[in-house]
Amino acid sequence: LLDEVNQLLDFRKLDVNGHTLQPSVGDIVLFVKDLCNSFDELMQRKSIKLSFASSIDHLYARFDEDKLSKALLNILSNAHKFTPANGEVKVEMELIELPDNKTEKSIRIRISDSGIGIPTNKLDKIFERFYREDKSRARESGGYGLGLAIAKAITTACKGSIKVYSKKNEYTEFTVKIPVAR
């Protein structure tokens, strides 16, 4: 309940104050890996295999740890909620060059699961506030339809993007792309 109240407050702050970024320098690869590791025990309780892979070992960059963690935690939390026992959640990370700009780079983080999936005709709605695809299942898991709206608002504030790909009863994959300054 406290997590849900905090999410509502975060969402309200984003609405009222806009998106004030507070970037700091850190190892973004280690940061995302540690975030994934914080889900290890939770995933093990449901016998979900959690894996992390990165095309680079370390990257020291300027990014907003608080905002990035909120976005990724919401996605990982959904992956846990909607992946059945003995399923799989993968987090993959890579550094990509922007085609029109050789000096700027972006980090692409893919979070995929072998969960229940999302119907194709609902994909454009999942980033809306209070939207829940399966209301009965969301109610069981304690969701209020704010997590992905927050993730979208945060990635947009970071001048990034978030996309979703899914096939009902097979998989869901979220791709978060954010620019990084070394």
Side-chain angles (χ1 to χ4, degrees):
L1 183 60
L2 181 60
D3 287 341
E4 298 301 328
V5 169
N6 285 335
Q7 258 193 345
L8 282 168
L9 291 172
D10 285 342
F11 199 78
R12 184 67 183 141
K13 275 194 273 184
L14 288 172
D15 266 357
V16 173
N17 299 330
H19 309 286
T20 307
L21 296 177
Q22 297 181 337
S24 60
V25 175
D27 184 343
I28 194 166
V29 177
L30 183 61
F31 177 78
V32 173
K33 185 178 182 177
D34 286 347
L35 210 61
C36 291
N37 289 340
S38 71
F39 273 82
D40 231 8
E41 186 179 329
L42 195 60
M43 296 288 189
Q44 285 177 11
R45 284 189 216 153
K46 268 179 81 175
S47 299
I48 295 172
K49 181 183 176 194
L50 174 65
S51 62
F52 173 82
S54 176
S55 65
I56 51 174
D57 293 330
H58 299 281
L59 176 65
Y60 289 90
R62 288 181 58 80
F63 64 100
D64 188 321
E65 287 185 9
D66 180 55
K67 295 219 175 15
L68 183 59
S69 71
K70 284 178 181 169
L72 297 179
L73 287 172
N74 276 306
I75 297 168
L76 281 165
S77 177
N78 281 350
H80 172 262
K81 284 181 203 176
F82 299 113
T83 299
N86 301 312
E88 185 175 10
V89 174
K90 293 180 186 178
V91 179
E92 299 168 300
M93 194 172 171
E94 65 182 325
L95 182 66
I96 55 173
E97 288 187 18
L98 303 176
D100 56 344
N101 188 338
K102 297 295 180 194
T103 58
E104 274 190 48
K105 302 205 183 297
S106 287
I107 286 287
R108 181 171 31 219
I109 303 164
R110 285 190 188 105
I111 300 173
S112 59
D113 65 59
S114 61
I116 62 172
I118 304 163
T120 306
N121 64 338
K122 307 287 183 171
L123 288 175
D124 61 335
K125 297 178 191 289
I126 65 166
F127 295 111
E128 294 175 8
R129 296 180 204 184
F130 305 111
Y131 179 78
R132 295 178 297 175
E133 196 314 91
D134 182 345
K135 291 174 179 37
S136 63
R137 189 168 175 107
R139 200 173 10 265
E140 289 171 16
S141 63
Y144 289 95
L146 286 174
L148 292 177
I150 290 171
K152 171 88 173 175
I154 287 171
T155 54
T156 301
C158 293
K159 296 181 174 71
S161 64
I162 183 170
K163 294 182 180 178
V164 61
Y165 309 92
S166 187
K167 187 168 183 182
K168 187 81 171 149
N169 299 317
E170 286 189 30
Y171 75 93
T172 300
E173 176 184 291
F174 285 90
T175 301
V176 174
K177 190 164 76 170
I178 57 166
V180 291
R182 291 183 168 192

